[in-house]
Structure formats: structure tokens, C-alpha cells
Amino acid sequence: MGMSEDVFRVSLDGREFTLRFLGPDASYDPAAVTSAAVVPFLTDGRIVAAVLDRGIDLPGGRVETEDASIEETVRREALEEAGIEVGPLVLASVIESDYFGPSRLTFMLSYVAMVVGFGPVSTEHESFGRRIVSIEEFLSEYRGDSRDMQLILKRALSAARQAGIDSER
């Protein structure tokens, strides 16, 4: 197991499965990507979070058949859930899941990008609005698996720095 790989056993819907965090250069089958999200940075290092019924989260969601690409999914979800437009997307994490079993691996992708525009937040989807928060504030309010999210954000910060979109941090 390489240094760039982190593995977690998690449970969801009464099911135990493994999440393997691979590096952004890991190979994956695009047809097996089930969801994608973005860590949308502002120039001051804060991020824009979507406010959903489950609390704050990163904008993202399921890849829909009408999406022309995974990047289009990310852009659509950022607009729907947080009312934001993002600039160039940089892949930060490839997360492999054996939720459906070891013979049917799926992948979740996590990107970073700068926010380039704000619009209204559409409440016809699942969003209640957006919040601009520091990464620390986001983590303190996030209700999901904090180990996973800490790693997603750590890798996002690293990718943002490498891509030169980490602003003042």
C-alpha cells in the first residue's frame, strides 16, 4: 500500500464496505463513477458549502445519464446546490468503493476549483442555500463521516496548492 492511499471501512444503509482513497493520478473506469463533488475555494481560502437537509456539505452528487462528462456533473451540482460557477476543475481524489461488492467497484471523484461567479441558489433541488465558511468551520459542522471528509479536504488543499488556486493559504 503506497503512501498516497488511505483505506477506511465504513457502514451505510446497514452495509459494511471499503473506501480506498487513491491519488488523483489513479486510473479508474469513467463509466463506474457514481458521484462527483467539488471543494469550491474563494480567493481568501474559505470555501462555499451547500446547505442541504443533512446539514452543510460539498456541492456534488450523482452522475446523471444526461451529463456529457463527469466535469459537467460537478458544474451542474455546484450551480444547483450552491448557486456558484466554478473555474477549471482539478482532480484531487479518486475514491474507490466496493459498496456493490469487489467485482463491481465504483468511484467517487473529488475536485477543487475557484469560484468564478455567484447566482441564485435553486431551491427546486435539495438545497436550502449556501454558506461561506473556513475549512475548520466546515469540518466542525459537517455531520457525515468526518474521517472521510478530513481526508477529502486535506487532499483538496494539496491539489489546490499544486494547481496554484490556494490563494493566501
Side-chain angles (χ1 to χ4, degrees):
M1 184 159 48
M3 287 286 286
S4 67
E5 186 179 290
D6 288 284
V7 180
F8 294 106
R9 285 294 285 168
V10 293
S11 78
L12 180 70
D13 308 328
R15 210 176 192 155
E16 287 266 322
F17 60 101
T18 302
L19 290 181
R20 180 168 280 129
F21 282 72
L22 309 172
D25 52 355
S27 62
Y28 60 90
D29 175 4
V33 173
T34 56
S35 65
V38 63
V39 180
F41 282 96
L42 297 173
T43 55
D44 65 5
R46 292 182 300 166
I47 62 173
V48 180
V51 181
L52 309 173
D53 57 357
R54 61 183 176 269
I56 66 170
D57 207 344
L58 297 174
R62 290 196 198 309
V63 176
E64 305 288 347
T65 49
E66 61 268 14
D67 292 336
S69 67
I70 297 164
E71 289 196 353
E72 187 176 297
T73 297
V74 173
R75 293 180 186 290
R76 175 180 53 76
E77 290 285 349
L79 204 53
E80 287 175 3
E81 293 184 350
I84 54 173
E85 286 178 57
V86 292
L89 294 165
V90 176
L91 186 58
S93 291
V94 174
I95 306 162
E96 177 191 274
S97 167
D98 67 357
Y99 182 84
F100 298 109
S103 62
R104 192 169 151 222
L105 297 175
T106 57
F107 299 90
M108 297 171 279
L109 303 184
S110 168
Y111 291 86
V112 294
M114 289 299 294
V115 175
V116 296
F118 284 91
V121 177
S122 167
T123 51
E124 68 187 63
H125 300 284
E126 59 179 323
S127 185
F128 296 107
R130 66 177 165 239
R131 296 254 321 275
I132 295 173
V133 293
S134 70
I135 285 181
E136 294 75 20
E137 286 173 300
F138 180 86
L139 281 170
S140 72
E141 293 183 37
Y142 180 70
R143 295 187 202 148
D145 188 317
S146 65
R147 295 173 313 168
D148 296 353
M149 188 54 73
Q150 284 174 351
L151 194 52
I152 287 169
L153 292 171
K154 179 180 166 192
R155 289 177 174 223
L157 280 167
S158 174
R161 282 190 190 107
Q162 288 177 351
I165 56 172
D166 68 324
S167 64
E168 299 162 13
R169 292 192 130 218

